[in-house]
Amino acid sequence: MNEDRQRVSELLGREPRGDYEIVVRDDAGDPVVLKNAPLLDDGTPMPTRYWLIGSEEVRLVGQIEADGGVDEAERELGLDLIGEAHDRYAAERDAAVPAGHLGPVPSGGVGGTRTGVKCLHAHYAWHLAGGDDPVGRWVEARLDERAQRQRLDTEPTITIDLDTHATTVGIGGTSSVIPFGVENLSENWLRERDPPGPAALTNALGTIADYADDITHEHPQIARTNDVHVRGAVAATLARVEIGAFDIPTETIVSRDALEELFRTVATESSADRATNPGLASEHVDLIIAGCCIVLALMRRMQLDHVVIRTDPGAPDDVAVRTAADHVTDSRTA
């Protein structure tokens, strides 16, 4: 296709000088890897059978090379294993030399290399095209690791551990501790009256919100997350009370509106009335308000439209809460 040849020329920065076949394309159909003829149009040997031309792939592999990837790959894989790959590559390429050709022929292995690694791009190209290349697999693993690190930096998984005397917010590989859990938040603000007064509820929510503000300011990437997990016995109780039963499915969708309504209900009931709520265990009658305060304050600051509370089988007190919204904003390290 003329369009393909034009695009290949754009990616190479020049007109191709020999026959080739596009053997790998990206999801949009753009060329990524070429399979070259072993001889150029003028008969010059072309040792590189597979050529990486995808702009993003070239850029990413170039970063690994710039960080010392060639030497690192050689150290980790060893010259013997790499040498065997060179032999396989050369055998495939050389078999494509036209019968009866009497002129110069390509030599070496991947990218014309006889020993070791010359170019990670050539190895990765062969790997993408289906070649048995340990260096190409090594490059792919490094790219996957970098992509994972970038994902954690930009879209971190957030874990909220709702404990008795602290709430831990884990973001990627770091964590921040809010020094209030369901027990000491209740002790400090919510037990003077039954039910708690408006000022006490405002103070409890505000205490968590202040820490939430600091955490999200320190970790602005929270605003791009779509994965939030909440664990703890009282968190599971919130799901049970929302459904109105002790037996709950693995995943329970709870919108912020529903949690706001649940909070208004339990926060204005006496402990005796709260105890009649289906799904509310007796040991959590005095703690469910604090649980609502913590989760709701975090949801407000993180701008969560709703959460999915997941109770892991065999661990009824652990729940994973994931958002299906776009959201987050604000929290504070202790």
Side-chain angles (χ1 to χ4, degrees):
M1 294 173 57
N2 290 335
E3 297 85 353
D4 277 344
R5 191 165 187 86
Q6 180 179 349
R7 181 55 178 153
V8 168
S9 298
E10 290 173 354
L11 291 168
L12 286 174
R14 58 174 172 76
E15 284 287 326
R17 294 184 294 153
D19 290 337
Y20 64 84
E21 176 186 353
I22 299 171
V23 292
V24 179
R25 298 177 184 266
D26 64 16
D27 292 340
D30 212 31
V32 173
V33 176
L34 303 182
K35 182 168 73 173
N36 295 305
L39 303 172
L40 299 181
D41 292 339
D42 63 0
T44 301
M46 177 59 173
T48 303
R49 180 65 163 166
Y50 294 95
W51 194 284
L52 189 70
I53 64 169
S55 56
E56 183 66 2
E57 289 77 11
V58 169
R59 182 184 71 82
L60 292 173
V61 175
Q63 290 177 346
I64 295 177
E65 281 197 349
D67 290 341
V70 168
D71 291 339
E72 187 179 351
E74 286 186 353
R75 284 195 305 271
E76 291 189 17
L77 298 173
L79 296 182
D80 289 345
L81 188 64
I82 296 171
E84 292 171 1
H86 284 316
D87 292 342
R88 290 191 294 272
Y89 186 92
E92 178 188 335
R93 179 199 60 217
D94 296 348
V97 175
H101 175 73
L102 300 177
V105 295
S107 62
V110 181
T113 309
R114 294 186 182 278
T115 60
V117 177
K118 174 184 177 183
C119 175
L120 295 180
H121 295 84
H123 284 275
Y124 188 53
W126 186 30
H127 168 69
L128 289 179
D132 181 9
D133 187 347
V135 179
R137 292 192 292 272
W138 182 91
V139 171
E140 182 175 68
R142 298 295 86 71
L143 291 174
D144 288 345
E145 288 174 4
R146 290 180 176 223
Q148 174 69 4
R149 286 198 301 270
Q150 183 177 25
R151 187 190 69 79
L152 290 175
D153 288 341
T154 58
E155 299 182 15
T157 295
I158 297 175
T159 59
I160 300 171
D161 287 303
L162 199 61
D163 211 334
T164 55
H165 289 84
T167 299
T168 303
V169 180
I171 304 165
T174 66
S175 63
S176 299
V177 178
I178 298 174
F180 287 96
V182 291
E183 178 62 44
N184 58 352
L185 190 71
S186 295
E187 186 65 33
N188 277 269
W189 300 112
L190 305 174
R191 288 180 177 164
E192 186 174 343
R193 290 174 49 185
D194 182 24
L201 295 169
T202 298
N203 287 335
L205 286 164
T207 296
I208 303 302
D210 286 344
Y211 285 96
D213 283 338
D214 287 350
I215 293 173
T216 53
H217 289 152
E218 185 177 348
H219 301 279
Q221 71 271 33
I222 289 176
R224 297 185 293 273
T225 192
N226 59 4
D227 197 5
V228 178
H229 301 260
V230 178
R231 296 188 291 255
V234 174
T237 288
L238 295 180
R240 294 186 174 101
V241 174
E242 171 59 22
I243 287 181
F246 281 99
D247 293 329
I248 58 176
T250 301
E251 294 188 345
T252 305
I253 298 174
V254 180
S255 69
R256 194 166 101 190
D257 287 344
L259 190 59
E260 297 272 11
E261 180 61 31
L262 176 60
F263 172 65
R264 285 192 291 269
T265 298
V266 297
T268 56
E269 293 178 329
S270 67
S271 58
D273 289 337
R274 284 198 301 276
T276 65
N277 281 288
L280 180 52
S282 58
E283 63 269 25
H284 293 160
V285 169
D286 292 330
L287 299 178
I288 189 170
I289 299 176
C292 281
C293 286
I294 294 170
V295 176
L296 190 56
L298 290 170
M299 286 184 71
R300 289 173 178 175
R301 286 300 189 265
M302 294 179 178
Q303 300 178 9
L304 306 178
D305 294 330
H306 64 275
V307 295
V308 178
I309 300 180
R310 179 180 174 187
T311 304
D312 297 328
D317 289 346
D318 287 340
V319 291
V321 178
R322 290 174 301 142
T323 76
D326 293 283
H327 29 267
V328 187
T329 339
D330 316 335
S331 276
R332 156 174 174 184
T333 49

